[in-house]
Amino acid sequence: MRMITRLVRVVIVCLLASLSRECIAADGPRQRSILVLEEADFRSPFYSEIFSGIRAAAKQNGKGHTVIYGESLDLARFPGPDYEESLVGHLKTKYAQRPIDVIVSIGVTSAKFLRARKQDIWPAAPVVYGFVPDLPETRALFLPNTTVVFARVRPAQLLTAARAIVPDLTHVVLVGDAWKNPLTYGHWKQDFAAEMPDLEVTDLSGAVLREVRSHVAFLPARSAILTSAMYSDGEGTYYSPASALARVAENANRPIVITSDTFLGRSGVGGCLLQPEIIGREAGAVAMRILDGEAPSSIAPFSGNNVKPIFDWRQLKRWNVDEANLPPGSEVRFRQPTFWEQYYWHSVIIAGVVLVQALMITILLRERRLRFVAEVEARQRMSELAHMNRRATAGEMSVSLAHELNQPLAAILINAETAQQILQNPAPDLDEVRDILDHIRRDDQRAAEVIGRLRSFLKRDSTERRELDLNATVGEVFRFLSVQALTHDVELLTQPSPAEIRVKGDKVQLQQAILNLVVNGMEAVAHLPDERRRVVGRTSVAEGNLALVSIADAGHGILAEKVTEIFKPFFTTKAQGMGIGLSIAHTIVEAHGGRIWAENAPSGGAVFHVSLPLAAAR
C-alpha cells in the first residue's frame, strides 16, 4: 500500500514539473515572423534584391529575432484559376503551423492575389504593400488593416530620360508586357500627350519578341526605345526580363531607356530607375514598425525614395550623349577609370622616386649656391674693407696731400702775377709770357695728377640699388665691427626679426649709414663701466609697410634740446669728433626714401631708428 502511495506521489511530481516547463515556455517571447509574397521568381535579380532589402531592414531593427519566409507566386508565367487554386491549398498546408505576423506583398499581381485569397489563408495578418504604383486602380486592391509604400517610374520620367539621351526626340517605341497593364503605367497615352503633344508612339507591347527584334533594327534617327519587363517571346518560350532585354538590344539601332537598375549594364543606356534593394528596405522598415506595435492603419501610405536617374557611361559614349543634358542628381556608372585611378600606386611610387631625386639635386644646387654666395660675400667684404682702409688712409694723408697741392697752386699764382706785370709793359716780351704759360700748364697738370691719384685711391664701384635682406645687412655691419668692439671692450648684440625683411637699396651705402650709427654708440659707451658697454641692433617690420632698424646703446643719452640738431653737418659733442658721421647717415637714409631719428630710451641710453620702405612683393 505504501509502495503504491509513493509511486502516485512520484507521478504527480513529474506531471507538475512537466506542466511548469510548458507554462514557462508559453510565457516566454514568441519568435516574430514576416512572409514576403513576390509576384515573380525570387531567383531573378530584381526580386532577389527586394528580398535582401527586407532582410537588411529586419536585421537593422535589432529588437528581437525575426524569421522571414518567402514565396514566389509566379502568376505571370503560370496564369489560370487551377494554378491559383493549387497555390492556395499549398500555402494553407505549408503555413498551418507557422503563424504569420506581417505579410509584405511585392507587386500588383501579389496584391490582386491577396485581395481574392488572403481571407482563406491568413485572415488576421496585416499587410504591407510594396512595389505598386500610386494609381486609383491599385488603391482599390488594398485590404483593410494595411499600409503601402509606393514605387513607380512615371511615364513622364521615362520621357525625361529619353530626351536627355536623344535631345531632338520625336518618336518612341514601347517594348515590354507592362505597357499593356493599366495597373503598372496607368494611362500612359494621356501622360505622353500632356508631356509631348507631337510625340509619335509605336506600341509593341503586344508583339512577339521576333517582331520586336525586327522592328527595332530600323528605327528613325530621332527615336528611343522605352522598355518594361518582358517574360516571354509570345510564342511559348519564357525568359528572365534581363535576358529578353539583351535579345532586343542585339538588334536595336537606337538607345534603350530602362526602368530598373538590375537591367543596367545589359545594353540599356539608363533612365529613372527603380532601386529594388531600397524598395525592400522601405517595405521592411514599415513591417518592423508593425511588429513593434504600430497599427497598419496608423501608418499613412507614402511614396518611397526608390527611383533615381542612373546611366551607363559606356552607352552614353556609344550614343554621344552629353552628360550635361542628364537630369539633375544623375548617377553615372561603369565610368572608365582615368590613368591616375588605374595606376595610382604605380604613379605614387614613380613620383616618390622623382621627388627624392629632385630633392637631392636641389640640396646639391643649394650647397653650390651657398658656396657661391659665400664667395661673393667674401669678395664684397674684402672690397668694403679695402675701401674703408683707403678712406682711413686718405684721412691720414690729408696733410701731405694739402702740401703737395699747395706747391703747384702757389707756383701757378706767382707765374700768373708775373705774366700780368709783363703784359702791362708797352712792349711786353711775348716769348717770356709763353714760357710762363708753359710753367702754369705744367703746374696745373701736376695738381691734376695729385687730385687724380686721390680720386683713383678713393674710387669704388658705381652705386647699384637692388633687393637685399635687411637682417643680413645689419648682421654684416655688426660682424665687421666685432674686432673694433673687442678692442674697446664693447659688447655688440643683434636681435634680427624672425621673418625675412626685404628692402631695395645700395648695400654699401646702407651699411655705411648703419656702421656710423653703431660706431657712434660704441663711442658713447666706451668710457662707461663694463655692464653698460653694450650696443644692440634690432630689425623689425613697422606699420605702414616699413622696415625698421634700431641701434640702442646704454650711454648717457641725448640732451632733449640736442635731439633735432645731432644730424646737422659738423655738429658734435665729442672733443675729437668732426660731426659728419650722423650727417652722412642722414643723407644716405633720405636718399633711399627713408627716415632717421633718435630718442632716449626709458631705461637709459639713446636709440637711433632708421625706417626704409619694404621692397615690393613679387
Side-chain angles (χ1 to χ4, degrees):
M1 188 66 181
R2 290 180 180 178
M3 290 293 295
I4 296 174
T5 303
R6 290 177 181 176
L7 288 174
V8 171
R9 288 177 180 177
V10 172
V11 171
I12 293 173
V13 170
C14 292
L15 288 174
L16 290 175
S18 177
L19 289 173
S20 65
R21 285 197 300 269
E22 292 179 4
C23 290
I24 292 173
D27 292 338
R30 186 176 65 83
Q31 184 173 258
R32 306 188 300 181
S33 62
I34 295 176
L35 173 63
V36 180
L37 285 183
E38 293 195 333
E39 63 181 0
D41 193 342
F42 268 113
R43 292 171 297 180
S44 69
F46 186 87
Y47 291 96
S48 177
E49 287 193 21
I50 290 179
F51 191 79
S52 297
I54 295 172
R55 293 182 63 178
K59 184 177 181 180
Q60 188 175 4
N61 179 264
K63 292 185 179 180
H65 179 67
T66 303
V67 62
I68 302 177
Y69 303 105
E71 296 292 340
S72 299
L73 300 180
D74 210 6
L75 291 169
R77 291 195 298 174
F78 302 96
D82 294 338
Y83 170 70
E84 185 173 322
E85 194 67 35
S86 67
L87 192 59
V88 171
H90 167 72
L91 295 175
K92 286 179 66 175
T93 304
K94 185 174 181 178
Y95 293 97
Q97 302 301 322
R98 296 286 190 274
I100 301 300
D101 296 314
V102 178
I103 298 173
V104 178
S105 170
I106 300 300
V108 175
T109 304
S110 178
K112 292 174 66 176
F113 175 79
L114 286 176
R115 179 75 180 180
R117 298 293 189 169
K118 177 179 178 295
Q119 192 64 27
D120 299 335
I121 314 172
W122 306 284
V127 178
V128 177
Y129 296 101
F131 186 44
V132 291
D134 186 5
L135 296 171
E137 295 88 340
T138 53
R139 284 179 176 267
L141 299 175
F142 302 153
L143 295 167
N145 193 33
T146 62
T147 188
V148 59
V149 182
F150 294 111
R152 178 195 183 198
V153 178
R154 293 179 287 105
Q157 291 175 308
L158 284 165
L159 287 184
T160 298
R163 283 187 292 186
I165 298 167
V166 184
D168 54 352
L169 182 71
T170 59
H171 177 225
V172 295
V173 177
L174 309 183
V175 174
D177 301 335
W179 293 105
K180 297 183 295 183
N181 189 350
L183 297 181
T184 303
Y185 284 111
H187 307 288
W188 57 263
K189 292 182 180 180
Q190 293 87 332
D191 293 342
F192 282 176
E195 190 75 15
M196 295 183 64
D198 298 330
L199 180 67
E200 180 184 353
V201 180
T202 299
D203 184 5
L204 299 182
S205 59
V208 298
L209 182 59
R210 175 171 42 82
E211 295 175 353
V212 171
R213 283 163 51 86
S214 176
H215 189 93
V216 298
F218 303 100
L219 296 177
R222 290 155 55 174
S223 302
I225 302 169
L226 309 185
T227 63
S228 65
M230 180 185 297
Y231 293 95
S232 73
D233 64 355
E235 297 177 316
T237 301
Y238 288 87
Y239 295 93
S240 68
S243 299
L245 172 65
R247 289 185 59 79
V248 173
E250 289 175 356
N251 287 44
N253 71 332
R254 300 301 302 152
I256 299 175
V257 178
I258 55 179
T259 56
S260 168
D261 71 352
T262 55
F263 293 160
L264 203 66
R266 300 173 181 268
S267 303
V269 180
C272 296
L273 307 186
L274 289 163
Q275 297 176 282
E277 201 269 343
I278 295 178
I279 292 173
R281 281 182 177 270
E282 291 172 341
V286 174
M288 297 311 297
R289 289 171 60 183
I290 295 173
L291 288 178
D292 291 338
E294 291 188 53
S297 57
S298 67
I299 304 175
F302 65 93
S303 295
N305 186 25
N306 44 44
V307 176
K308 181 179 181 180
I310 306 174
F311 297 86
D312 186 333
W313 180 85
R314 299 165 299 183
Q315 292 293 317
L316 294 177
K317 293 303 178 184
R318 174 188 176 187
W319 300 107
N320 297 319
V321 178
D322 186 354
E323 291 188 32
N325 295 333
L326 301 181
S330 294
E331 176 185 348
V332 179
R333 296 182 184 175
F334 308 112
R335 191 185 298 276
Q336 184 175 352
T338 62
F339 176 85
W340 178 253
E341 294 170 339
Q342 192 170 2
Y343 300 102
Y344 176 78
W345 288 111
H346 304 78
S347 303
V348 167
I349 294 172
I350 294 173
V353 172
V354 172
L355 286 176
V356 170
Q357 291 179 340
L359 181 61
M360 294 177 63
I361 294 172
T362 302
I363 293 173
L364 293 174
L365 291 176
R366 181 177 179 274
E367 292 297 326
R368 183 176 181 273
R369 173 64 179 171
L370 290 176
R371 185 174 64 182
F372 173 76
V373 170
E375 292 173 354
V376 171
E377 184 179 354
R379 287 195 298 269
Q380 290 177 343
R381 183 161 300 180
M382 290 297 296
S383 176
E384 292 169 4
L385 289 174
H387 179 65
M388 295 298 294
N389 184 66
R390 286 195 296 271
R391 290 176 63 90
T393 303
E396 295 174 357
M397 294 173 57
S398 58
V399 175
S400 60
L401 287 172
H403 177 72
E404 192 171 352
L405 283 173
N406 189 52
Q407 288 182 348
L409 290 175
I412 288 172
L413 178 61
I414 293 173
N415 285 326
E417 291 175 347
T418 302
Q420 188 178 15
Q421 291 178 357
I422 293 174
L423 291 174
Q424 289 177 353
N425 293 331
D429 188 350
L430 297 180
D431 292 335
E432 187 175 358
V433 171
R434 288 189 187 94
D435 291 338
I436 292 172
L437 291 176
D438 288 338
H439 287 297
I440 291 174
R441 186 177 67 254
R442 287 195 299 270
D443 290 333
D444 179 79
Q445 290 174 347
R446 179 182 171 188
E449 288 175 0
V450 172
I451 296 173
R453 287 198 305 271
L454 178 62
R455 179 180 296 175
S456 175
F457 183 77
L458 296 175
K459 182 181 179 182
R460 67 178 180 88
D461 295 337
S462 59
T463 299
E464 180 184 2
R465 293 197 177 188
R466 59 187 178 185
E467 188 173 319
L468 51 90
D469 182 359
L470 191 59
N471 288 336
T473 303
V474 174
E476 288 175 9
V477 172
F478 273 72
R479 289 192 295 272
F480 175 74
L481 292 173
S482 60
V483 176
Q484 185 175 350
L486 185 63
T487 303
H488 293 83
D489 197 18
V490 175
E491 182 182 10
L492 296 183
L493 298 174
T494 58
Q495 297 178 357
S497 167
E500 187 181 53
I501 303 176
R502 309 292 294 183
V503 297
K504 192 171 184 180
D506 181 85
K507 186 175 182 180
V508 175
Q509 293 183 4
L510 289 178
Q511 286 187 336
Q512 182 67 50
I514 297 170
L515 183 144
N516 290 349
L517 297 179
V518 176
V519 170
N520 186 75
M522 292 170 58
E523 293 174 352
V525 301
H527 62 285
L528 297 179
D530 291 344
E531 65 272 10
R532 297 180 61 182
R533 292 182 183 179
R534 183 175 64 256
V535 178
V536 180
R538 301 182 180 90
T539 57
S540 59
V541 177
E543 294 182 359
N545 204 30
L546 295 174
L548 185 65
V549 179
S550 300
I551 307 298
D553 62 61
H556 296 300
I558 308 169
L559 295 176
E561 62 272 15
K562 303 297 184 181
V563 170
T564 58
E565 298 180 13
I566 57 177
F567 296 107
K568 292 181 180 180
F570 306 109
F571 178 86
T572 182
T573 59
K574 304 169 187 175
Q576 302 299 324
M578 297 181 61
I580 62 173
L582 295 180
S583 175
I584 291 174
H586 181 268
T587 301
I588 292 174
V589 171
E590 285 197 339
H592 283 76
R595 174 172 169 258
I596 185 171
W597 72 98
E599 61 184 8
N600 289 314
S603 59
V607 183
F608 288 81
H609 301 286
V610 175
S611 66
L612 297 168
L614 291 171
R618 294 181 179 179

